Amino acid sequence: MQYPAARPTQPLKPLVITLAAAWGASALPALADDATRAPTVVVVGQTPLPGLDQPIFQIPAPVQFATDKDVDRVRVPDLSAFMNRSLSGVHINEIQGNPFQADVNYRGYTASPLAGTPQGLSVYLDGVRINQPFGDVVSWDMIPRSAISSVTLMPGSNPLFGLNTLGGALALTTKDGRTHPGASVQVTGGSYGRRSVEFEHGGFNDKGLEWFVTGNLFHEDGWRAHSPSDVHQFFGKAGWQNATTDIDLSLAVADNRLNGNGLQERRFLDQDWHSVYTSPDITKNNSMFLNLTGRHSLSDDAILSGNAYYRRIAGTTFNGDVNEGALDQSVYQPNAAERSALAAAGYSGYPTSGANASNAPFPSWRCIANALLNDEPNEKCTGLLNRTSTTQRNFGLSGQLSVAGTLAGRPNQFTAGAAYDQSQVNFRQSAQFGYINPDHTITPVDAYADGTQTSENAFDARVDLNGRTRTWSVFATDTLALAEKWHATLSGRYNTTTVKNRDALNPGGGSASLDGDHRFSRFNPAAGITFSPTPALNAYLGYTEGSRTPTAIELGCANPDNPCKLPNAMAGDPPLNQVVTRTWDAGLRGRLGAETRWNAGVFRAVNSDDILFVADNQSGYGYFRNFGKTRRQGVELGASTRVGALNLSANYTWLDATYQSEELLGGSGNSSSDAASAGLDGNIRVRPGDRIPLIPRQILKLSADYRVTPALAVGADLVGVSGSTARGNENGQHQADGTYYLDGGRSAGYSVINLNSTYQASRGVQLFGQIGNLFDRRYTTAAQLGSTAFSSSGGVLARPFASVGGEFPLVHSTFYAPGAPRTLWVGLRYSL
């Protein structure tokens, strides 16, 4: 799946996808079906907007392409799962524990729905960048899978794809009534209460009108405890076209409720693979996206195109978490003042003496009493209920002109354009104290993390931030045929971004205020060359630069004089620099005969001014700052062939992702930290060559599809991922000792086999089935070090060891993201 499939041209519609190739595309015919036939051509564009699609280009990079038929064959609920199983070099971390909330990783860069995660992949839907304004996150549940017509993954720091394109860009196009006429209804049911209903209808008439609608209702109870999800998606598109003009207006709506219960300790996974650490962990997303696109042919060799969009996103989270500030406190036996407060409030049944971890494994009375007194609930309450609310509105417009002609007598294509994007964001955060119940849910008390408590460790977790971001961009790319077999492209994009943050809680600036005005500007260039010595062999070499601006979370926690307790906390902010990525790509690709394709390439991407959460000299605190460099480099190999009714493919990636600068990081949970004693918080030092966490060194994907009869097809695929370093073990030196540190510092490698089958019962009736994780392998996709709140029996464990110099060591463990067990679902699709 390394190359776009060759297709005949149609007027005005971009048949494969509109790509912003940093090198452009070479003005050469695509590789021949075999060495003796005339070559088939690949039709591509040059930017995220529709441009001048010409059947004379190749893209000098290992671009991967898939159609809606490829997505349907895998039968997964969302796009991230399809990419994990089908696209070379892609793997996911299921840190959130929900099928619609995966971190998608490619070449060591991430597109994640979790705010605070460094984002390095840009995602486009019909030419609009859909990374959200707040944190550049990508909510996969808001992308209507049933509306997707094609998926293209462009590697590298391609500047024409705009900000945040550090490791690659994912470009998605949607269906329309002309390319997808007809109607269908699909129902699916299976393991863990999964059930869904999808419909779609498309058509066109002789007056140039076209229309397409699709919707999806999805529910599952979830394979883990307390993890139901409901996804409601709708997409509609209406358009008109004639011989020279094409106009489309699309609407995408999503209203979803997701439960993602996060990481779990190995001890409890061994007891119950379905268990969760704490709950609830609820995310609600509501979005509306309007996109107006237009394309007009000025002549056979010139096309003017543009779009205007508006998007509104409202999201809330409600998470039950451990209050780590209570783990080194005496939380079991109420003192005299607390017992008096409880009695005065009408409570009874509280212990008068002798309460401890063995006879009160889920302590609550000191928490309730300190909430009544507003004294030390931050120290005596074992749980926290964290709430966030985010409202985002963004709109923009862009336009470009594409012209094909000659330059110095040689074939040439030139594209230039401009774009404007503006967003407004309101983010609110609060935390309420509570206590942990035997089922690890949290019961709240009337006390909040607002800094009003008399405790010396009282903290204020509230945030009320309003932000406005504006980005202006201009871009251009030119591809010139230097000779019959040589083609070169120069590209570039200039972006200027202004960020204006205003703190509703602490206005006016100062160390405690989030007020800030920031401006970031940069020109990112690209250049490349391709060479095709024969119609069946192509070589490419390219250099690209991309950048991303710091997010509001990073800007809000960048002051070394006012460090934050957590990476998603916020405080006053000096400016950070943009992250800049410089990427080299080189490789070969070709065909052997009519049915076999292969590719081999190498890449190296270096981040400068990378942003990392570094440790302060206060234990457990830190701040975001720019530091030196990180590097991601690797080898990519792929091949596919057809033998009669059998299709085979194999893809392999070797990936080396390392820090290239020395830095001091927080080392809570790491046995090699500089803490005064085992079990206490300390720092670790990262040195050049240490591996970046959560990035595997090897990824292997195999697939086979066989058409047994004209009506029956079966298929299997394998995803193999090597082990990776746990987050918190950035120096790679953590070791378990069985007392203070219960587990190692890595997530083990794994391989998973999936089966699928389709049976065409009649012209309009299709039956299908899917088995995920055929051999019911227990595997994990990510790991993180941290302190644990529980004993091996599941009770709350506070002050597990005696004091060391006035501090109480904690038990630390490794938390894992468990993969789904064997699942089965079947479905029926009826088409007209």
Side-chain angles (χ1 to χ4, degrees), residues 116 118 553-554 556-559 562-570 610-616 618 620-627 659 663-667 684 686 730:
I553 290 175
E554 293 164 340
C557 183
N559 191 343
N562 193 13
C564 306
K565 178 65 176 176
L566 296 171
N568 60 352
M570 291 187 175
D610 218 338
I611 296 176
L612 198 67
F613 189 73
V614 302
D616 186 71
Q618 303 179 60
Y621 284 74
Y623 56 93
F624 287 102
R625 60 160 285 187
N626 294 112
F627 81 103
Y659 296 102
E663 191 55 79
L664 189 70
L665 306 182
I684 59 174
V686 170
E730 285 82 357

Side-chain angles (χ1 to χ4, degrees), residues 121-179:
L121 302 174
S122 60
V123 182
Y124 281 81
L125 181 64
D126 285 338
V128 177
R129 182 174 176 267
I130 59 172
N131 297 72
Q132 294 176 25
F134 189 69
D136 284 325
V137 302
V138 178
S139 294
W140 302 108
D141 62 295
M142 296 184 191
I143 301 175
R145 181 196 55 79
S146 61
I148 299 300
S149 175
S150 67
V151 178
T152 300
L153 181 59
M154 169 69 72
S157 46
N158 193 319
L160 295 183
F161 276 102
L163 295 173
N164 214 62
T165 308
L166 305 183
L170 182 69
L172 311 172
T173 63
T174 58
K175 300 173 183 177
D176 61 53
R178 194 169 298 273
T179 60

Side-chain angles (χ1 to χ4, degrees), residues 552-819:
I553 290 175
E554 293 164 340
L555 289 170
C557 183
N559 191 343
D561 297 324
N562 193 13
C564 306
K565 178 65 176 176
L566 296 171
N568 60 352
M570 291 187 175
D573 55 295
L576 294 168
N577 298 325
Q578 295 184 80
V579 181
V580 177
T581 303
R582 299 171 174 86
T583 303
W584 287 93
D585 261 290
L588 299 170
R589 58 191 176 186
R591 293 195 186 203
L592 299 174
E595 303 294 349
T596 301
R597 297 182 180 186
W598 60 271
N599 65 279
V602 296
F603 67 90
R604 171 177 285 192
V606 177
N607 283 18
S608 300
D609 279 331
D610 218 338
I611 296 176
L612 198 67
F613 189 73
V614 302
D616 186 71
N617 54 16
Q618 303 179 60
S619 179
Y621 284 74
Y623 56 93
F624 287 102
R625 60 160 285 187
N626 294 112
F627 81 103
K629 296 179 179 180
T630 59
R631 185 182 68 197
R632 296 151 178 88
Q633 60 185 2
V635 177
E636 297 169 326
L637 305 173
S640 64
T641 190
R642 177 184 302 218
V643 182
L646 178 65
N647 290 310
L648 300 171
S649 71
N651 290 283
Y652 172 79
T653 299
W654 178 82
L655 177 60
D656 179 53
T658 57
Y659 296 102
Q660 294 297 303
S661 299
E662 187 171 310
E663 191 55 79
L664 189 70
L665 306 182
S668 175
N670 192 313
S671 64
S672 66
S673 74
D674 59 4
S677 175
L680 297 178
D681 285 346
N683 300 321
I684 59 174
R685 185 163 296 279
V686 170
R687 293 179 170 82
D690 288 339
R691 292 190 58 79
I692 301 174
L694 308 188
I695 301 177
R697 190 180 289 270
Q698 300 182 80
I699 303 171
L700 174 67
K701 297 187 180 182
L702 306 174
S703 71
D705 293 285
Y706 182 67
R707 185 158 293 281
V708 182
T709 71
L712 176 63
V714 296
D717 62 82
L718 177 145
V719 178
V721 180
S722 67
S724 60
T725 302
R727 186 175 287 160
N729 189 27
E730 285 82 357
N731 64 350
Q733 298 179 23
H734 170 75
Q735 297 290 331
D737 63 10
T739 303
Y740 297 95
Y741 306 97
L742 302 183
D743 211 341
R746 290 178 57 82
S747 178
Y750 62 90
S751 60
V752 174
I753 294 177
N754 309 289
L755 297 182
N756 64 81
S757 180
T758 301
Y759 178 67
Q760 197 71 37
S762 66
R763 182 176 180 180
V765 177
Q766 184 184 79
L767 305 175
F768 57 86
Q770 179 87 205
I771 301 177
N773 191 3
L774 176 64
F775 296 108
D776 202 22
R777 291 285 304 275
R778 289 193 171 186
Y779 67 98
T780 61
T781 62
Q784 180 172 319
L785 305 183
S787 57
T788 178
F790 302 111
S791 66
S792 58
S793 62
V796 173
L797 185 65
R799 285 191 176 178
F801 302 107
S803 171
V804 177
E807 296 184 77
F808 289 89
L810 300 178
V811 177
H812 294 81
S813 188
T814 306
F815 296 79
Y816 295 92

Side-chain angles (χ1 to χ4, degrees), residues 212-460:
F212 180 84
V213 293
T214 182
N216 174 36
L217 298 177
F218 175 95
H219 171 83
E220 72 169 11
D221 299 330
W223 67 269
R224 296 183 70 186
H226 312 297
S227 58
S229 292
D230 290 279
V231 175
H232 306 143
Q233 300 169 333
F234 172 83
F235 176 83
K237 180 188 287 187
W240 173 84
Q241 75 170 48
N242 63 14
T244 60
T245 303
D246 187 3
I247 299 174
D248 289 297
L249 176 65
S250 62
L251 168 68
V253 177
D255 185 12
N256 306 326
R257 177 188 171 100
L258 310 175
N259 276 267
N261 289 304
L263 308 178
Q264 175 62 300
E265 275 193 73
R266 172 67 70 183
R267 292 181 300 168
F268 303 124
L269 288 175
D270 289 342
Q271 296 173 23
D272 181 2
W273 192 253
H274 305 262
S275 64
V276 300
Y277 190 64
T278 59
S279 67
D281 287 283
I282 302 169
T283 298
K284 295 181 180 179
N285 286 327
N286 182 281
S287 69
M288 188 272 290
F289 174 43
L290 275 171
N291 187 24
L292 176 65
T293 63
R295 184 181 184 192
H296 179 67
S297 296
L298 302 175
S299 68
D300 290 342
D301 299 323
I303 286 183
L304 183 66
S305 58
N307 76 341
Y309 73 91
Y310 172 80
R311 184 169 56 154
R312 182 187 184 277
I313 302 171
T316 63
T317 65
F318 180 58
N319 298 330
D321 299 314
V322 171
N323 176 22
E324 295 188 2
L327 298 184
D328 62 352
Q329 301 293 317
S330 175
V331 299
Y332 300 101
Q333 176 58 51
N335 60 29
E338 292 165 350
R339 294 196 299 273
S340 296
L342 290 168
Y347 288 96
S348 62
Y350 47 83
T352 58
S353 64
N356 55 48
S358 60
N359 59 34
F362 297 96
S364 60
W365 292 114
R366 296 206 75 181
C367 174
I368 296 170
N370 276 272
L372 295 171
L373 297 168
N374 198 32
D375 187 11
E376 296 180 337
N378 56 299
E379 297 180 7
K380 303 302 187 287
C381 291
T382 56
L384 274 175
L385 288 171
N386 292 298
R387 297 176 174 89
T388 69
S389 173
T390 308
T391 302
Q392 306 176 74
R393 295 179 177 86
N394 66 305
F395 63 89
L397 65 161
S398 58
Q400 70 176 38
L401 175 66
S402 299
V403 179
T406 60
L407 179 65
R410 305 298 304 175
N412 186 78
Q413 179 164 317
F414 175 76
T415 298
Y420 173 75
D421 298 275
Q422 178 173 316
S423 65
Q424 292 178 303
V425 177
N426 174 255
F427 174 76
R428 296 181 180 182
Q429 175 180 284
S430 65
Q432 183 178 8
F433 295 109
Y435 52 86
I436 299 174
N437 299 307
D439 63 355
H440 290 193
T441 58
I442 311 297
T443 297
V445 297
D446 189 20
Y448 297 84
D450 54 12
T452 62
Q453 291 78 29
T454 57
S455 167
E456 63 179 357
N457 296 319
F459 63 95
D460 189 351

Side-chain angles (χ1 to χ4, degrees), residues 501-586:
N501 287 337
R502 292 296 178 264
D503 190 340
L505 297 177
N506 300 290
S511 62
S513 176
L514 297 177
D515 285 4
D517 295 281
H518 312 273
R519 183 182 181 90
F520 306 95
S521 299
R522 195 173 195 277
F523 174 76
N524 291 317
I529 193 165
T530 63
F531 173 58
S532 295
T534 73
L537 179 63
N538 176 253
Y540 61 86
L541 173 67
Y543 172 79
T544 58
E545 291 187 12
S547 60
R548 79 168 178 93
T549 59
T551 66
I553 290 175
E554 293 164 340
L555 289 170
C557 183
N559 191 343
D561 297 324
N562 193 13
C564 306
K565 178 65 176 176
L566 296 171
N568 60 352
M570 291 187 175
D573 55 295
L576 294 168
N577 298 325
Q578 295 184 80
V579 181
V580 177
T581 303
R582 299 171 174 86
T583 303
W584 287 93
D585 261 290

